[in-house]
Amino acid sequence: MSARPPVLPDHLQQLLQAGVQRRARAYRGRFAPSPTGALHRGNLRTALLSWLEARLAGGEWLLRLDDLDTPRNRPGAEEGILQDLRWLGLSWDGPLWRQSDRRGLYATVLSALRRQGRLYPCRCSRRLLADVSAPHGAWAVYPGFCRDRPPRWGPEQGRLPSWRLRSPPGRIRWSEHSALGLCSAAGDLDAASQVGDVVLRRADGFLAYHLATAVDELTLGISAVVRGADLWRSTAAQVAVMAELGAPPPLYAHGPLWCDPATGQRLSKREGSAGLAGLREQGLDGPGVIGLLAASVGLVPPGSRLSAADLLQQVRGGRREA
C-alpha cells in the first residue's frame, strides 16, 4: 500500500515517531487481553509464549487491557487476569495500560483522518453486510457500497453511520518471526479484494478495535506481537491503519490455537472449566500448569513441572546447544 501520511497534530506525530524509534532500539512485546471473562488456557498459553519471546530477546513485556468495548467487559475480569498472570510467574514491565484511558489519543487520530478525507461514513447494516459477504467465508470483505456516496455524517432515522478508512489500492504486508518457531505465514494480501475498508468508529459510537490496537502498537513502541492464529486476518486491518499513519508494522507471530479435543473447536471464555480455575480443580499447581502449556507446543515433554523462570532457562539453554 502507498498513501501520503496524514498531517497529524505535532504532539501526536511526536508520539508516533518516539514509539517507532523505541521499537528500533530493543525488543518490546505485549499481551493484550480483553476483560470480558476469565482467561482460558489458550489465552494463558499465548501470554506464556509472548512472555518467553520477550525474555529470550532480553526485552520488555507490557500488559495492556483492551477494554474499549465496555458492554462486553465483566466485573472482576480485570483483577482475575492480573491474578492469573501473577500466579503463573508472568511479570510485566512498567504500568498496566488500559485502552479506556487512551480514548482521547484514538479520537485525535480519528479526527485527523476524517478532516483530511481519509474516512467516509457507512450506513450499511450488519444484516446487509452478512448477506453480501457470505461468499468470502469467515472473513467479510466490505464491498464498498458507501465509498463514493456523498458524506453525510449526522444521524439518519435515529442512527449514526460507522466510519470507514478509505484504503488505497495495493498490498498489505507484514513479517512473521518467532524465536520459538511458532508462527504463521507472512502476510501478503490485496487491500481491496482481501481486506476492504476497515471500520475505525462503529455506528454505536465506540472506537473500533483495529484503530486503537494500531495506534497502541505504534505509540507504545511495540516491536513484536505474539498472539493466536485466529487473529491473522485481523492483523491486515491493523497494518492498513499503521500504513495510513505512515509507519511500518511490528513483527508478528501467530501461534497455533488450543482446541477442545472432544469437539475440535477452539476454546472460548464461555468455557470456564478451560481456564485456570478448572486446571486448579484438576489438581494442577503453578509448575504443573506451566508444564502443560509448554508441552502443548512441544517446548517440554508431557508431564513436565517447572516454573516460568525455569522454562525460560531451559529454552534458552536449548537454543545455545542447537
Side-chain angles (χ1 to χ4, degrees), residues 221-271:
I222 302 302
S223 63
V225 175
V226 179
R227 55 188 179 186
D230 57 322
L231 294 174
W232 188 86
R233 292 299 293 261
S234 294
T235 297
Q238 292 154 30
V239 172
V241 178
M242 294 181 206
E244 190 69 20
L245 296 175
L251 289 173
Y252 289 90
H254 292 87
L257 301 181
W258 198 319
C259 296
D260 187 316
T263 65
Q265 300 297 313
R266 67 184 181 93
L267 300 179
S268 72
K269 289 183 178 180
R270 291 188 297 271
E271 303 166 80

Side-chain angles (χ1 to χ4, degrees), residues 27-142:
Y27 188 104
R28 194 167 165 92
R30 57 75 161 170
F31 179 57
S34 298
T36 56
L39 300 176
H40 59 66
R41 67 187 68 177
N43 302 138
L44 296 169
R45 184 176 69 180
T46 296
L48 175 62
L49 296 176
S50 177
W51 180 87
L52 273 176
E53 294 270 9
R55 298 312 184 212
L56 286 170
E60 294 179 292
W61 189 62
L62 277 59
L63 178 60
R64 186 184 78 220
L65 291 177
D66 291 357
D67 61 348
L68 282 180
D69 196 352
T70 50
R72 296 182 62 240
N73 295 340
R74 294 292 177 266
E78 175 180 321
E79 186 54 37
I81 289 170
L82 304 185
Q83 290 177 357
D84 285 355
L85 295 176
R86 292 188 183 111
W87 192 77
L88 291 174
L90 303 180
S91 58
W92 56 92
D93 299 300
L96 169 66
W97 297 90
R98 296 181 182 87
Q99 287 190 331
S100 58
D101 295 332
R102 294 163 62 81
R103 288 191 179 96
L105 174 61
Y106 313 139
T108 300
V109 174
L110 195 69
S111 295
L113 292 173
R114 177 180 163 177
R115 284 196 305 270
Q116 295 173 56
R118 306 300 182 92
L119 309 179
Y120 64 90
C122 174
R123 298 185 183 277
C124 297
S125 66
R126 289 186 180 181
R127 185 168 187 175
L128 171 64
L129 294 178
D131 290 341
V132 300
S133 64
H136 296 288
W139 181 262
V141 177
Y142 179 63

Side-chain angles (χ1 to χ4, degrees), residues 48 84 86-89 276 279-280 283-295 300-311 314:
L48 175 62
D84 285 355
R86 292 188 183 111
W87 192 77
L88 291 174
L276 202 51
L279 295 174
R280 285 169 166 169
L284 291 177
D285 57 5
V289 173
I290 293 292
L292 174 70
L293 300 177
V300 297
S304 296
R305 288 177 43 80
L306 70 175
S307 67
D310 290 339
L311 175 62
Q314 186 166 320

